[in-house]
Amino acid sequence: HVITHNMGAIRFYKGHAFALARRLANFYVLPPENCPETGRVRYDALLFVRRTGRGDDGDKPPPVRRARAAASPLALLSHAWDAVWRLCAAALAESRRRLTLLQPAVHAAAHSEDRKL
C-alpha cells in the first residue's frame, strides 16, 4: 500500500504491472508537521496488487483477494453506539419483564395489608 500523495511510488507500482485493488480510507495518520496539507492528518492509502500466472500454459491468474477496509473512526463510533443502544434496550426489556412478573404479587400483598386493618 502507498499513501495517495506519493506519486513516485504510484508510478513505480503502475510501471511494474501492479494494479490498483482498493482504496483504504483514513489508513495513514501523520504528525501535523509532516502533512502536505495544513490541518489534515488522515490520508487514504492505495493498495496495489500484482497478479501472477500459474504457468506458461495460458492459465488465467488467480483472482485478486480484496483486503478488508480499515474502519474509519466514525464507523467505529457508530458501531460502539449501536452496541450500547442494544444493551440498554435489552436491559429495559428485561426490567419490564420482571416488573410484569412481580406486579401480581405486589398487588396481592397490598390487598392483604388492607384486610388486616
Side-chain angles (χ1 to χ4, degrees), residues 52-117:
T52 58
R54 295 182 189 166
D56 294 330
D57 55 355
D59 282 350
K60 290 183 179 180
V64 174
R65 295 178 107 184
R66 294 197 175 262
R68 185 174 174 180
S72 70
L74 186 57
L76 292 172
L77 180 62
S78 175
H79 182 71
W81 177 253
D82 186 55
V84 168
W85 175 255
R86 289 176 190 264
L87 182 66
C88 290
L92 182 60
E94 179 62 17
S95 295
R96 285 182 177 161
R97 185 187 71 78
R98 289 183 180 189
L99 185 60
T100 303
L101 293 174
L102 290 176
Q103 279 179 343
V106 170
H107 186 67
H111 284 296
S112 103
E113 290 295 323
D114 290 341
R115 290 183 200 149
K116 289 182 182 177
L117 296 176

Side-chain angles (χ1 to χ4, degrees), residues 7-64:
M7 299 312 290
I10 293 170
R11 280 192 299 275
F12 172 84
Y13 285 117
K14 287 183 175 180
H16 287 86
F18 283 80
L20 178 61
R22 185 176 195 97
R23 185 180 193 103
L24 305 170
N26 297 321
F27 187 83
Y28 291 102
V29 179
L30 301 179
E33 62 273 7
N34 293 341
C35 294
E37 297 177 36
T38 305
R40 183 175 175 196
V41 295
R42 294 189 169 278
Y43 292 89
D44 294 351
L46 302 175
L47 178 63
F48 286 93
V49 296
R50 183 173 176 182
R51 294 182 179 192
T52 58
R54 295 182 189 166
D56 294 330
D57 55 355
D59 282 350
K60 290 183 179 180
V64 174

